[in-house]
Amino acid sequence: MTKTLSLYNQTFILHPSGAMFWEEEDMLVISDVHLGKVSHFRKFGSAVPQQAVKGNFQKMDAVIAFFAPHKIVFLGDLFHSTLNKEWLIFATWLEKISAEVILVEGNHDIISPLKYDALGVKSIREIVLHNFLFTHHPEERAGFFNFSGHIHPGVKINGLGRQQLKLSCFFKSKDQLILPAFGEFTGKHILIPQGDDEVYVVTKEEVICLND
């Protein structure tokens, strides 16, 4: 189950995967996939399951099939490190993607833009459309609503007894929405809502607004 936000008369759909779809622009937005991270850690001896590599691509396939977007925007940290074998998997995956693919560069995106260009992926610093600013790092800019990633937002939810859950979330403040990390092998930075902040936690099946 998704959640729909209306901002400046535009429609944004929050998906349980952590992706967001801008309906009027037919644009899917995904942040912090961190492809290559599993292979990077396994190379240095970490016991990370190889299945996590496939998980990222399966998850992207599912959300792309759900929305069938004309354009896909990655909000930074698409690839975690230098080139490794997951780059070849990514290149093969792109061959079946008919949508235009754009990368808004993040701090982990150290691979040359020429490499992305060779795969048909446009690499840029930011996107400005209408009243909206798309960046990797959260940014405040007068007159714009900012969509970003980078932080890997999460919140703590108290359950029965002393149970406590840490869940990824979309974190919305007055002029900003921070997307959760999309990648299978990423952590969470716990945020504490203040004032009119809105929190949309993501589970495998739905997006739940904690403000409802």
Side-chain angles (χ1 to χ4, degrees):
M1 184 183 298
T2 60
K3 282 287 184 182
T4 300
L5 301 180
S6 179
L7 301 167
Y8 293 98
N9 296 316
Q10 298 289 295
T11 307
F12 297 89
I13 302 172
L14 311 183
H15 189 268
S17 64
M20 179 186 76
F21 184 67
W22 185 356
E23 192 170 78
E24 288 79 6
E25 293 292 328
D26 200 8
M27 185 171 89
L28 181 67
V29 183
I30 298 172
S31 189
D32 297 275
V33 184
H34 288 274
L35 296 175
K37 188 172 185 177
V38 173
S39 297
H40 176 77
F41 276 78
R42 284 174 63 88
K43 178 181 178 180
F44 292 97
S46 297
V48 183
Q50 184 65 27
Q51 179 60 31
V53 174
K54 295 181 180 179
N56 283 324
F57 291 99
Q58 290 169 347
K59 193 176 177 184
M60 288 193 292
D61 284 341
V63 72
I64 290 170
F66 185 86
F67 289 110
H70 177 71
K71 182 183 298 182
I72 301 169
V73 172
F74 290 100
L75 277 189
D77 290 359
L78 172 57
F79 212 84
H80 180 77
S81 57
T82 53
L83 291 173
N84 59 35
K85 64 181 181 180
E86 286 185 50
W87 180 261
L88 299 177
I89 301 173
F90 176 59
T92 301
W93 178 81
L94 279 172
E95 292 177 358
K96 66 180 182 180
I97 301 300
S98 59
E100 178 186 2
V101 179
I102 298 172
L103 169 63
V104 175
E105 297 165 357
N107 53 294
H108 277 281
D109 293 308
I110 59 176
I111 296 171
S112 169
L114 297 177
K115 291 287 188 181
Y116 284 105
D117 186 62
L119 298 180
V121 177
K122 184 179 181 181
S123 183
I124 56 179
R125 296 193 64 180
E126 63 180 35
I127 295 174
V128 177
L129 274 176
H130 308 297
N131 297 94
F132 304 104
L133 171 68
F134 293 82
T135 58
H136 176 61
H137 292 85
E139 184 174 328
E140 294 182 7
R141 190 178 301 179
F144 289 96
F145 188 94
N146 175 229
F147 293 100
S148 65
H150 180 62
I151 290 179
H152 301 195
V155 291
K156 290 181 180 179
I157 299 177
N158 295 319
L160 297 174
R162 295 185 178 181
Q163 286 183 326
Q164 192 172 69
L165 295 175
K166 296 180 181 179
L167 297 174
S168 296
C169 68
F170 294 89
F171 196 91
K172 182 182 178 296
S173 54
K174 180 183 176 183
D175 295 311
Q176 189 174 81
L177 180 71
I178 306 172
L179 276 69
F182 188 91
E184 290 283 293
F185 186 56
T186 54
K188 302 177 187 68
H189 176 65
I190 301 301
L191 298 176
I192 300 175
Q194 304 288 334
D196 295 328
D197 292 343
E198 298 175 15
V199 176
Y200 298 84
V201 299
V202 295
T203 71
K204 291 184 177 181
E205 301 295 334
E206 62 182 326
V207 179
I208 303 170
C209 180
L210 297 187
N211 301 75
D212 289 345

